[in-house]
Amino acid sequence: MQGFALYPFDPPGDISALRADLRTWLADHQPRGDIVERANCWASFDAGFSRALGAAGYIGMTLPARYGGGERHPLERYVVIEELLAAGAPVGAHWIADRQTGPLILRYGSEEQRQRYLPGIAKGELYACIGLSEPGAGSDLAAVRTSARETAEGWRINGQKIWTTGAHLSHVILALVRTEEGSERNAGLSQLLVDLDTPGITIRPIIDMAGNHDFNEIFFDDVLVPHGALIGTRGEGWKQVTAELGLERSGPERYLSSHALLAALIDAAGSDPDPAVAALIGELTAEMWTLRQLSMSTAAKLAAGEDPMVEASVVKELGNAFEQDMPRRVQAVIDCGWDDNADLARLLRALLIASPSFSLRGGTREVIRGIIARGLGLR
Ligand SMILES: Cc1cc2nc3c(=O)[nH]c(=O)nc-3n(C[C@H](O)[C@H](O)[C@H](O)COP(=O)(O)OP(=O)(O)OC[C@H]3O[C@@H](n4cnc5c(N)ncnc54)[C@H](O)[C@@H]3O)c2cc1C
């Protein structure tokens, strides 16, 4: 049993100075953008913004200086991410590379891989996508079928990935593949870092129900990549992916996806709000504050080098429930006679369509609850 432990969020140095510096930087550099884009900002792609953010030292913050990183404490990075999301900054281009691909390459990659990929990630110029899901393997990743066979020339990859966010805009994919012929379930899996311009790779768009192109299908047709594409240890892919998911599940993005709606509601409510609106603002703020403490405590456990699988899953589950419920709760209290073009109305409409997916991405609700139950010794 893993148990559940809360850690104090204790970053080094003057965090309020870091916040203030970033707020000043954002005031000078953040494009105004549309309110709907600002709402789900970790999907908003803006290469120029990512480059400028990287040059200012706010990407790759925890990476060593010899790879272009800032050698900052992980909790300083947490504060920066929180500020960027609360401001609705367009961080989508570098998001996955900074959050999980960079740390994974640092932890498991070879020296050659680190030198090749980490400086570009820290500059906000190299983008990555996550190749886990397949048509027959979503929640059940042990059902992965995409294969990579080692030959004299390198690895030959055949198969298909699906729901790959940002593949059409990324430079590399970190793919979970079956490297041992005849292996089953979570044995015999490995991770390969594949340049997306390699011959034999076809990327096809999947348009979501809001009409956006974030998702893709990726087909690997006898794709040959060098032996050096293997990240970490052959056959240890399952363990590596599990560590990667800890980074993916507990950040402030798990409760701030609908944050722009709360800010817009507060603006629209004005100085003499309707009592029902005032009550809802109070409830949402209190709930968000509690989630924030939980997420910060989980970040502190990650920063201490421990594996907060249970805590990260609790943040994801409660955070997703909060950000999914918020649009419906706002809809229930605001005046229905609104102007259809008003920011609040447009934002609400967009979040009512987008929010059902919040509890799917990064692991579905039922599966996350199963992880929590197992971690607490309840099953
Ligand atoms: C916005 C978004 C972005 C995404 N981006 C990426 C990405 O970049 N890369 C990537 O690889 N994937 C990505 N995904 C895919 C995502 O990880 C999968 O959708 C998710 O893992 C669920 O898999 P599935 O869709 O195959 O559903 P299934 O696994 O088929 O599940 C269907 C239903 O059955 C339930 N279920 C399944 N197993 C169990 C169980 N053991 N116990 C109880 N209930 C169960 C599930 O909870 C769900 O309700 C993204 C998804 C979304 C929505």
Side-chain angles (χ1 to χ4, degrees):
M1 182 175 125
Q2 279 185 291
F4 184 87
L6 294 177
Y7 276 49
F9 187 84
D10 194 13
D14 185 358
I15 282 300
S16 47
L18 179 62
R19 276 191 201 284
D21 287 349
L22 179 54
R23 284 181 190 182
T24 307
W25 189 90
L26 282 171
D28 293 341
H29 292 86
Q30 185 177 354
R32 281 303 299 146
D34 182 74
I35 193 161
V36 173
E37 259 183 48
R38 271 188 279 139
N40 202 9
C41 66
W42 52 291
S44 289
F45 187 97
D46 184 332
F49 179 81
S50 289
R51 200 175 307 114
L53 194 68
Y58 294 119
I59 304 180
M61 286 179 68
T62 58
L63 297 176
R66 64 184 181 284
Y67 305 124
E71 293 198 355
R72 305 291 289 260
H73 194 276
L75 299 185
E76 292 181 297
R77 178 179 180 273
Y78 184 99
V79 168
V80 166
I81 297 301
E82 187 180 50
E83 287 295 324
L84 291 169
L85 295 181
V91 293
H94 65 269
W95 183 255
I96 289 169
D98 181 52
R99 179 180 67 182
Q100 57 203 87
T101 320
L104 189 124
I105 292 172
L106 181 67
R107 182 165 172 189
Y108 295 111
S110 64
E111 188 52 32
E112 192 196 331
Q113 287 165 338
R114 290 171 176 176
Q115 286 181 15
R116 177 154 179 218
Y117 293 108
L118 295 182
I121 290 178
K123 280 188 190 152
E125 293 177 354
L126 198 150
Y127 316 137
C129 59
I130 305 165
L132 297 176
S133 304
E134 298 185 2
S139 301
D140 184 15
L141 274 184
V144 158
R145 286 278 151 247
T146 296
S147 70
R149 297 285 166 256
E150 195 167 23
T151 68
E153 315 109 290
W155 296 96
R156 281 204 178 272
I157 312 172
N158 281 286
Q160 183 194 348
K161 294 288 172 184
I162 196 168
W163 312 127
T164 324
T165 303
H168 57 307
L169 301 166
S170 296
H171 303 101
V172 292
I173 179 169
L174 186 53
L176 184 67
V177 294
R178 198 163 282 286
T179 43
E180 315 310 315
E181 204 157 359
S183 64
E184 287 296 330
R185 305 303 296 163
N186 54 10
L189 294 169
S190 303
Q191 285 188 295
L192 295 182
L193 193 56
V194 178
D195 293 341
L196 280 166
D197 58 3
T198 312
I201 295 180
T202 307
I203 301 175
R204 282 201 204 137
I206 302 175
I207 307 301
D208 68 21
M209 70 181 180
N212 297 325
H213 175 197
D214 291 335
F215 286 139
N216 301 273
E217 291 180 288
I218 307 190
F219 299 88
F220 295 88
D221 187 9
D222 225 16
V223 173
L224 179 65
V225 295
H227 295 285
L230 178 75
I231 287 263
T233 310
R234 179 174 177 161
E236 295 281 305
W238 181 264
K239 201 177 96 194
Q240 293 175 199
V241 161
T242 312
E244 189 184 341
L245 289 174
L247 298 171
E248 188 181 338
R249 288 182 173 157
S250 62
E253 68 269 28
R254 295 299 169 195
Y255 61 91
L256 287 176
S257 302
S258 304
H259 178 72
L261 182 62
L262 178 55
L265 180 68
I266 293 170
D267 285 346
S271 55
D272 183 21
D274 175 281
V277 173
L280 180 64
I281 290 171
E283 282 170 24
L284 292 173
T285 307
E287 288 168 31
M288 192 176 71
W289 190 256
T290 311
L291 281 166
R292 179 169 183 254
Q293 302 304 312
L294 200 55
S295 169
M296 292 195 328
S297 167
T298 306
K301 197 168 179 186
L302 265 174
E306 294 189 37
D307 173 16
M309 183 54 102
V310 178
E311 293 84 349
S313 302
V314 171
V315 172
K316 183 176 183 308
E317 168 55 15
L318 295 181
N320 287 167
F322 170 74
E323 57 184 12
Q324 275 182 334
D325 284 350
M326 190 195 289
R328 288 191 292 251
R329 290 161 75 182
V330 171
Q331 187 184 32
V333 299
I334 60 176
D335 179 17
C336 294
W338 60 22
D339 167 3
D340 238 20
N341 288 320
D343 275 357
L344 184 61
R346 287 197 309 115
L347 186 50
L348 183 55
R349 197 164 41 225
L351 281 171
L352 285 168
I353 294 173
S355 55
S357 74
F358 295 171
S359 58
L360 301 177
R361 61 187 184 191
T364 60
R365 163 158 294 142
E366 293 78 5
V367 170
I368 293 291
R369 288 183 177 175
I371 293 171
I372 296 168
R374 193 177 301 114
L376 296 178
L378 299 173
R379 75 172 187 143

